[in-house]
Amino acid sequence: MQGHITIFTDHIRNIDYENVIYFYETSFCNHPDELEVYETARCCVIAYTDPERTVHTANQIRLYFPQMALLLITDVSQPVSDQHLVRITGVGRLRLLYWKENHSEEMLSEIQSLLYPEYPAKSPHIAFILSVYNEEERFSHVQKFAERLQKFIRSHLVEGSIYVIDDGSLDGTQLLLESLENSTSMVINRINRNASPLFKAQQLERNTRKAGTYLEGMRTIEADYYVFVDADDSFFIEDIAKMINVVRQGYYDVVIGTKDMTAENRSFVRSMVSFCKRQICRPFLPSGVIDSQTGLKIMSSVAVKRMFPHLKQELGLAVDLEMMFIAKRLQLRVLQIPVKCIDREGSHIEVWKDSVRFLRSLIDIWRLDRRVR
């Protein structure tokens, strides 16, 4: 079986390897000592749910075949971390894939990259994640922003998708989103048109005060970069494009905006509350970051995967601060830049009540210090 793919798995994820890796012949191996099974393999896929077993198997394979290409399959529930990866020996190519059942084509793509590194990789995919809640009366803003993003994707990104996640709305928001999704033309000049939709609406069962929409996006959406942005057309495409260009250079893991010095139509009370929050939150923020609450941030897939296990849905609107605190603890590289913003009327933020909740959340975030490493 010359040139086949050998798979080491505990079968817990129930992956249909023969259909996923349909370009190649596959074989299964129970133990790395069974050399005859994989000695002629072009690469090995290691798909154990236990990260330690994954590392042990990889090192056993590399003991016999140091140049063997390896694809490690993991997931967000029990991830293979960078601390695991640095323990793997050998000189062969190595890739890590976070498995998601609805993105099975990614496995074949990663194998192709392992076997044919001389060919250019596909364009990085950018996911725009928009949170909405009870936006029926302000839906014109949501629709306008979605249309502007679509135009930007078609003209400048190509490999991009818009995901609008409804945070358990009680009005007609979901019906309006479904109508917008159905009326959106999916025709776009993409390399892989079936990989991701241009526009997709999702809905949570209950309101989570934004935190759940972030976690749902991280959990279910596969992308190279994630753009978390308010859906009410309050930010400018030019600023979003600038931030995307910065994060794609590869030096920063997270690029976030700050609107505190540039926001239009902001009330005096909200400005003062924002100022006080900045002072209180300063110890929780990475170096160079002064504002965590602006609703525009862009993260690499690596940053998302490292943050996700530590995020708590219960923190609600304080999830933005929680993300920055986790980024600080994980020593991610974070850059903050000023962005223009228009504070739209009809915001669901209740300044005083949400400020009290925010202060209470600081205690929960402080407790993260003991478990984020």
Side-chain angles (χ1 to χ4, degrees):
M1 193 181 287
Q2 180 69 33
H4 63 284
I5 309 298
T6 298
I7 300 163
F8 296 78
T9 179
D10 52 19
H11 299 286
I12 292 178
R13 295 190 182 94
N14 296 317
I15 301 173
D16 186 0
Y17 293 97
E18 288 87 351
N19 286 325
V20 173
I21 313 174
Y22 54 86
F23 274 0
Y24 302 96
E25 293 183 77
T26 56
S27 64
F28 290 85
C29 188
N30 296 318
H31 196 278
D33 288 339
E34 300 173 1
L35 302 183
E36 68 278 4
V37 179
Y38 66 94
E39 61 184 351
T40 60
R42 301 189 66 183
C43 79
C44 292
V45 176
I46 306 176
Y48 296 120
T49 51
D50 180 6
E52 289 297 327
R53 188 178 180 187
T54 297
V55 172
H56 175 75
T57 301
N59 282 332
Q60 287 295 105
I61 294 171
R62 288 284 177 83
L63 179 65
Y64 300 115
F65 306 104
Q67 299 188 45
M68 179 67 74
L70 301 178
L71 175 62
L72 311 183
I73 308 298
T74 187
D75 56 55
V76 294
S77 62
Q78 199 173 1
V80 173
S81 67
D82 48 0
Q83 285 83 7
H84 292 112
L85 292 178
V86 297
R87 291 162 48 197
I88 296 177
T89 59
V91 296
R93 292 183 293 276
L94 176 69
R95 286 189 176 269
L96 181 66
L97 172 65
Y98 277 73
W99 172 253
K100 293 179 181 175
E101 188 174 355
N102 56 340
H103 289 92
S104 58
E105 72 280 348
E106 291 296 323
M107 184 183 296
L108 181 59
S109 177
E110 292 290 353
I111 290 174
Q112 293 282 74
S113 297
L114 279 171
L115 300 182
Y116 304 105
E118 66 274 18
Y119 291 107
K122 65 178 183 179
S123 299
H125 193 84
I126 300 175
F128 294 85
I129 300 174
L130 284 58
S131 304
V132 296
Y133 176 67
N134 286 352
E135 296 289 352
E136 183 175 8
E137 294 185 0
R138 305 196 308 165
F139 197 77
S140 60
H141 293 308
V142 177
Q143 182 171 354
K144 182 179 179 181
F145 187 51
E147 291 171 350
R148 291 170 62 214
L149 281 178
Q150 289 177 44
K151 183 178 179 181
F152 173 60
I153 291 171
R154 294 176 191 276
S155 302
H156 301 286
L157 296 181
V158 181
E159 294 293 337
S161 299
I162 303 167
Y163 298 86
V164 184
I165 303 180
D166 183 358
D167 196 12
S169 292
L170 302 176
D171 60 2
T173 298
Q174 184 60 26
L175 292 176
L176 291 170
L177 287 175
E178 291 174 359
S179 176
L180 181 58
E181 181 178 9
N182 292 333
S183 64
T184 299
S185 171
M186 299 300 171
V187 178
I188 190 168
N189 185 27
R190 283 183 173 160
I191 296 173
N192 185 357
R193 297 187 181 186
N194 297 322
S196 300
L198 177 59
F199 183 96
K200 183 178 181 180
Q202 301 175 216
Q203 185 177 31
L204 303 184
E205 294 183 356
R206 63 181 182 86
N207 179 247
T208 64
R209 303 193 67 76
K210 188 166 77 170
T213 63
Y214 281 17
L215 270 67
E216 180 71 6
M218 292 179 175
R219 185 181 66 83
T220 63
I221 297 169
E222 186 68 31
D224 299 289
Y225 299 100
Y226 295 74
V227 181
F228 298 92
V229 57
D230 291 345
D232 60 357
D233 197 28
S234 55
F235 293 101
F236 292 76
I237 296 294
E238 293 80 4
D239 286 327
I240 296 174
K242 177 171 61 177
M243 293 171 66
I244 290 174
N245 288 334
V246 170
V247 78
R248 286 177 66 172
Q249 296 303 310
Y251 182 78
Y252 292 102
D253 304 297
V254 182
V255 178
I256 66 173
T258 175
K259 64 181 180 180
D260 277 353
M261 304 303 173
T262 58
E264 301 178 19
N265 300 338
R266 172 168 285 191
S267 68
F268 175 77
V269 172
R270 191 167 176 181
S271 296
M272 290 303 299
V273 170
S274 179
F275 173 79
C276 294
K277 281 184 179 179
R278 288 204 309 273
Q279 305 310 309
I280 295 172
C281 295
R282 191 177 297 273
F284 294 83
L285 301 176
S287 176
V289 176
I290 61 171
D291 165 31
S292 66
Q293 297 307 110
T294 295
L296 173 59
K297 53 185 64 65
I298 303 177
M299 303 180 184
S300 69
S301 61
V302 173
V304 166
K305 289 163 185 172
R306 293 192 66 191
M307 280 189 187
F308 181 85
H310 306 291
L311 291 170
K312 295 170 61 179
Q313 181 172 293
E314 295 77 12
L315 286 181
L317 292 173
V319 67
D320 296 290
L321 176 60
E322 181 191 23
M323 293 169 77
M324 289 301 98
F325 180 69
I326 292 172
K328 179 180 180 178
R329 295 297 300 158
L330 294 176
Q331 298 183 348
L332 297 178
R333 299 162 298 179
V334 183
L335 174 69
Q336 184 161 64
I337 60 178
V339 295
K340 293 181 290 184
C341 175
I342 302 173
D343 280 341
R344 299 290 183 189
E345 294 184 2
S347 170
H348 299 293
I349 295 177
E350 302 174 69
V351 176
W352 297 115
K353 185 181 293 186
D354 286 329
S355 296
V356 172
R357 289 175 179 154
F358 187 85
L359 292 174
R360 290 174 178 170
S361 298
L362 291 179
I363 299 174
D364 292 327
I365 295 174
W366 175 79
R367 289 172 179 164
L368 283 171
D369 186 57
R370 302 179 182 179
R371 62 183 178 89
V372 178
R373 293 291 186 271

